[in-house]
Amino acid sequence: MKQYKRSFRFVCDENERNIVEEMLRLQGFTWEQEQFFAYSCRLVDEPFSLGSSLACFFGFLYIQDRASMLPPVALMPKEGAFVLDMCASPGSKTGQLAQIIGKNGFVIGNEVSPQRLATLRRNLQQMGLFQAASCCYEGQNIALPNGYCEFIQLDPPCSGWGTVEKNPNVMEMWKEDKTLPLVKLQKELLKKAEKLLQPNGVLVYSTCTTNKEENEEQVRFAVEELGLEVEKLPDLPEFVLDTPMFGMDGVWRLSPRIGDTQGFFVARLRKKNQGEIYTPNFHSWGENLSENYVKELGIDTSYLAYGDIAVFKESIHFVPHRAKNLPENFAWQGMYMGKVAKSKEVQLNPRVRMGGNLPIIHFEGKQGLEKIKGLLSGQSFNGDYKEKNVLMAWNGLVLGRLKVKNKRLIWSER
């Protein structure tokens, strides 16, 4: 059977991408660029699992089915916007949305399952997306006020018929008579999304199923019962699109195609210029670290232009400035950065790449990649530094932080 040509997207700034691409090439990977999303690519040569590549380990790329990248492309929030991802784990679309809105924006990924929430948070942290935060609510009961959201991504639980190539038993598991609870939940989530939207706000509804009850019929419900309007999506030359059911125009319907993509459905909906709009009441979260202390930790203080670094009991998190207008009763968490030890000493996670005034150990080329692989497998190097941490860089790109222990440099995520 023909296998999927694995898709992924780069998660890095434009000035970093050439370095990340060179890292991939030196490990034997080749790929082709997609056009529908500037960061999206498809593998041509995969000498070993892409998930085991150094670029993936350090969060500079994310493996994602190309059809799964379509909902954020359809939503395409403006730079600096606020976005709610109502059903977020594992964080594929949350992370993609964070790329689109940029460092001045703010996206919250909501996930009801604590176990899946942990996966979401781990993925966002690995990618270094400090403009993304997370929360844990039933989507239909998320504790945000009506009229709060500019943009909403709703990819609800569905039957997953579009993943049949990867999950051959999915059609049997989710026969039509078993999808009724899913259809009911999807309607409840759509109702909540409509209330959360600001007047003229935009909602993208998407599923990875081909079941019309979970797709076109739900869009028809949103239009006829909730008063939303369908906004026509453009053509997708790189995809083979099916004809939507019921003569519906302007939505994307894809059937699963072997070696190409999984099945997906995407619709863009806009709230009419009516309804409530939330007036924020700004306040602080946590105990903010001073600029001088942030500098002492070896963090570039320019990041404070986007938010604060704050202590919550024994945990340190990034607090985007846009989070200051969240309701006080809303439980959420910004990107994890480290912890406060019993000695009151701040211990940053080695994945914090916000390089500041710390020594840098530089690795170069293919030989440097081998040394980095050695560090990740438990080896250590001589490192007679006064500081307790040093930055690790490859070809000038900061990858993370090494601990200095007994004059040895080690990578440790403990």
Side-chain angles (χ1 to χ4, degrees), residues 72-140:
V73 170
L75 187 61
M76 199 51 68
K78 61 190 177 184
E79 186 175 356
F82 169 74
V83 187
L84 170 65
D85 188 353
M86 290 183 70
C87 305
S89 189
S92 306
K93 299 174 188 65
T94 312
Q96 189 179 351
L97 289 164
Q99 283 185 272
I100 293 171
I101 61 175
K103 296 177 180 178
N104 281 310
F106 185 36
V107 56
I108 288 183
N110 176 63
E111 174 54 48
V112 65
S113 163
Q115 184 176 2
R116 287 171 57 83
L117 178 69
T119 300
L120 167 68
R121 288 173 172 170
R122 183 169 58 251
N123 284 337
L124 294 175
Q125 181 206 30
Q126 185 169 342
M127 292 183 280
L129 296 170
F130 58 80
Q131 66 269 43
S134 58
C135 60
C136 186
Y137 290 95
E138 288 184 328
Q140 65 273 32

Side-chain angles (χ1 to χ4, degrees), residues 236-255:
L236 281 176
E238 292 177 271
F239 291 82
V240 179
L241 297 179
D242 298 337
T243 302
M245 301 292 184
F246 313 129
M248 187 171 288
D249 189 31
V251 299
W252 290 335
R253 168 180 271 273
L254 293 81
S255 291

Side-chain angles (χ1 to χ4, degrees), residues 242-272:
D242 298 337
T243 302
M245 301 292 184
F246 313 129
M248 187 171 288
D249 189 31
V251 299
W252 290 335
R253 168 180 271 273
L254 293 81
S255 291
R257 286 178 168 80
I258 296 174
D260 182 32
T261 186
Q262 67 184 41
F264 235 87
F265 177 86
V266 184
R268 179 181 167 102
L269 302 158
R270 186 178 292 274
K271 186 171 183 176
K272 296 177 182 178

Side-chain angles (χ1 to χ4, degrees), residues 79-318:
E79 186 175 356
F82 169 74
V83 187
L84 170 65
D85 188 353
M86 290 183 70
C87 305
S89 189
S92 306
K93 299 174 188 65
T94 312
Q96 189 179 351
L97 289 164
Q99 283 185 272
I100 293 171
I101 61 175
K103 296 177 180 178
N104 281 310
F106 185 36
V107 56
I108 288 183
N110 176 63
E111 174 54 48
V112 65
S113 163
Q115 184 176 2
R116 287 171 57 83
L117 178 69
T119 300
L120 167 68
R121 288 173 172 170
R122 183 169 58 251
N123 284 337
L124 294 175
Q125 181 206 30
Q126 185 169 342
M127 292 183 280
L129 296 170
F130 58 80
Q131 66 269 43
S134 58
C135 60
C136 186
Y137 290 95
E138 288 184 328
Q140 65 273 32
N141 295 314
I142 191 167
L144 287 172
N146 294 344
Y148 186 86
C149 300
E150 302 172 77
F151 297 91
I152 296 178
Q153 168 69 57
L154 174 55
D155 194 87
C158 72
S159 58
W161 290 2
T163 65
V164 65
E165 183 178 353
K166 297 178 181 178
N167 305 294
N169 298 322
V170 70
M171 302 290 285
E172 186 65 26
M173 290 172 55
W174 290 102
K175 292 181 178 179
E176 291 197 33
D177 59 333
K178 294 183 179 180
T179 63
L180 292 178
L182 291 175
V183 171
K184 181 179 179 182
L185 174 60
Q186 291 158 5
K187 282 185 167 64
E188 292 302 311
L189 291 168
L190 278 167
K191 290 178 183 177
K192 182 64 174 180
E194 187 277 330
K195 291 179 180 178
L196 290 175
L197 278 178
Q198 297 177 1
N200 210 38
V202 178
L203 161 71
V204 160
Y205 175 84
S206 60
T207 73
C208 58
T209 188
T210 55
N211 180 12
K212 64 181 184 298
E213 282 79 13
E214 300 174 73
N215 293 336
E216 287 90 348
E217 288 193 8
Q218 296 292 31
V219 173
R220 194 158 62 179
F221 166 78
V223 171
E224 296 177 357
E225 301 295 327
L226 303 180
L228 300 177
E229 297 178 335
V230 176
E231 289 199 330
K232 186 175 181 179
L233 293 170
D235 293 335
L236 281 176
E238 292 177 271
F239 291 82
V240 179
L241 297 179
D242 298 337
T243 302
M245 301 292 184
F246 313 129
M248 187 171 288
D249 189 31
V251 299
W252 290 335
R253 168 180 271 273
L254 293 81
S255 291
R257 286 178 168 80
I258 296 174
D260 182 32
T261 186
Q262 67 184 41
F264 235 87
F265 177 86
V266 184
R268 179 181 167 102
L269 302 158
R270 186 178 292 274
K271 186 171 183 176
K272 296 177 182 178
N273 194 21
Q274 58 188 22
E276 300 178 63
I277 185 167
Y278 174 72
T279 302
N281 180 22
F282 295 94
H283 56 88
S284 298
W285 296 89
E287 181 184 347
N288 295 340
L289 300 181
S290 70
E291 183 173 347
N292 286 337
Y293 192 42
V294 169
K295 188 174 182 179
E296 287 178 16
L297 291 174
I299 297 174
D300 187 344
T301 55
S302 66
Y303 286 93
L304 297 179
Y306 307 110
D308 300 311
I309 297 171
V311 177
F312 298 81
K313 296 183 179 179
E314 298 177 353
S315 188
I316 302 170
H317 298 267
F318 194 85

